[in-house]
Amino acid sequence: MTDSPTTAPAAPTASAGEVLTGYLTRQAGVFLRALPQAVGEAASRPGSLPASAAGADDLLRAVRRIGGALHTFGASFEDDWARDVRSELRWLLDLLATEPGYRGRSLRLLAAVDSLSDTADAPGMLAGHAGAPKARALLERQLTLSRTRAHTALLQELRSARMHALADRMTLLAGDVPLLAGPAGRSGDDLRAAAGSASGALQAAVARLPLARAAEPYGGDGLRRLASVPAARSEAAGPLPVAEAVLAADDEPWHRARVLVKRARYALEVCGESTGADGLGELDVILGRHHEAADAAVTAAAAARTPRITPATAYVLGVVHADQRLEVEAARYAFGRRWPMLPPALGGAVAAPPTARTE
Amino acid sequence: MTDSPTTAPAAPTASAGEVLTGYLTRQAGVFLRALPQAVGEAASRPGSLPASAAGADDLLRAVRRIGGALHTFGASFEDDWARDVRSELRWLLDLLATEPGYRGRSLRLLAAVDSLSDTADAPGMLAGHAGAPKARALLERQLTLSRTRAHTALLQELRSARMHALADRMTLLAGDVPLLAGPAGRSGDDLRAAAGSASGALQAAVARLPLARAAEPYGGDGLRRLASVPAARSEAAGPLPVAEAVLAADDEPWHRARVLVKRARYALEVCGESTGADGLGELDVILGRHHEAADAAVTAAAAARTPRITPATAYVLGVVHADQRLEVEAARYAFGRRWPMLPPALGGAVAAPPTARTE
């Protein structure tokens, strides 16, 4: 990942409008350069799947940043326009994120089976287990199928009229950002206040996370003691099996925090503010790991419901499922350790952060 | 558990022989009082199994302490006699520990299935999973069968000629401890030196444990990155499946440390030394948990090999297996945190122990 922050080089005396224009035209430029590359990548490999797609990754990053800026600094833009563009960017984001999501899940789950079977220097808990190669093959087959479908859908949508309309909007944005005259004329400090709101929203969301529960390692937060979700326990819990509905509801506030961390991070970028950017970047990575592990656990559980698999395969998938929930728990623990180390303005503790070991 | 240390009330000026005689006659007395109670408990419930057996537990505790003292202070006794008695005590120890072992494993595994399904205030990872009740019933059935067999074997052996011979030896021990004249006449400090050897053996064993690997929570020590055990990976690994042979070899040094912690603890008891006794007691509990979880994981894995189980049942057993290996990992982490807090003479770090959190 080269998801490095692109700090705005705006002068300290620049007005809010100048800062936003600088940031958005730059990001729209990234979008427009990445788009044909992403289309080319998708089209050039009709059968196979690229190991990674630089164009699509760049496009995804620009989409996230433009959407984040339009959300956080919404008061500076014409309302309907910003809402429309954000909605189209969200559509493209979902589309772009799906295949890399399956790719990451595939890498993660196959690595889990492999490292539970054998690590570089030592065998693991499933070494020699008859179910391990079967479970691996099953996961690989199912995830490759999902990736292929996502890839086909992406290729189709990248050439759609909807995509062309969005690209047109980005072309306009690269030339001229439709700012409201009032807010745009104010000083750059106004932007800092809006960025402060973004970190305020993050702090409020983190305050509702069960951080105390996740503070003790091996507290079983990922596997047991999940948040009470009475609705999900009723018979009418919908198509998801009860356990997964419960887990999804338990993971949801953490997924929400991930979105808010990204938003707060991009807001700092817009303001050219570097204090705390690294911290938010680390939290972003931690919550990305949380997200990926939670998805991977669902995939393992779903694979275990494949008809006609052997008990040995199902057993290995159960081990892998628990292993991924353990990664969820580990990510929550890591988040709880890292969060208080943010600068106080971003929500960190004022006191020195606790350290794990003194040596 | 009422496994409280029984500190020897010997006078500070007592000779080594006086101290050992006081301790061993007392423990032999406990043995002789507990034995008929244990036999009665075993016999009075031919069909059912007692939830706990106070007589058998007392007997087990006396057996451990007498065996430990004969080992640690072996130089004070006639060699052949001490070796014979220790060998018979080990036989009885294995016999007595088997049923409580299955009892503990049963409680642990059923609690794991239950708490993964539903905890007091919140549903867990397996909530509503079709395999959970089946896996629970399977584990309960298999462990009850094992318990019943162990119980029958115990009842039979408690009435055997071998047992009567051992009881006769304990009767003699309660009246007269066969000490060697030379060592017995020395001062009580001699005993402290022998107790020091017991903690030295513990320290050497702990130095060989992969404590650094277990120091970071969620390091995957219980599930991945196991010690390299080339022999266990060969095709000729014996009747155990490879993964279990590997795990058993990985757990072995920790099980060995558990024996040495007990020995060091009982040696302090003999000397009437209370410094560090609590610490060793806590480490004993932690390693007991380690031992129980490792055994429970093996049981879950073995249950998953039961013919004709459904994939859903096997899946749940895989989750439970991983969950118990996680408990193994958590116990190692807890041991690594607790060990440096022992008094330096027992192997602890001289510097202040690291603390998890400062608040």
Side-chain angles (χ1 to χ4, degrees), chain A residues 82-104:
Chain A
R83 195 170 45 241
D84 280 4
V85 172
R86 281 185 54 218
S87 148
E88 290 307 288
L89 288 172
R90 261 200 305 274
W91 160 77
L92 181 57
L93 178 67
D94 288 344
L95 209 54
L96 287 169
T98 308
E99 202 221 310
Y102 285 122
R103 189 171 67 216

Side-chain angles (χ1 to χ4, degrees), chain B residues 320-341:
Chain B
V320 170
H321 182 181
D323 177 66
Q324 292 302 307
R325 290 305 304 176
L326 173 61
E327 292 271 304
V328 166
E329 193 178 304
R332 293 183 186 184
Y333 173 74
F335 184 90
R337 308 278 291 179
R338 189 66 187 83
W339 173 258
M341 295 158 75

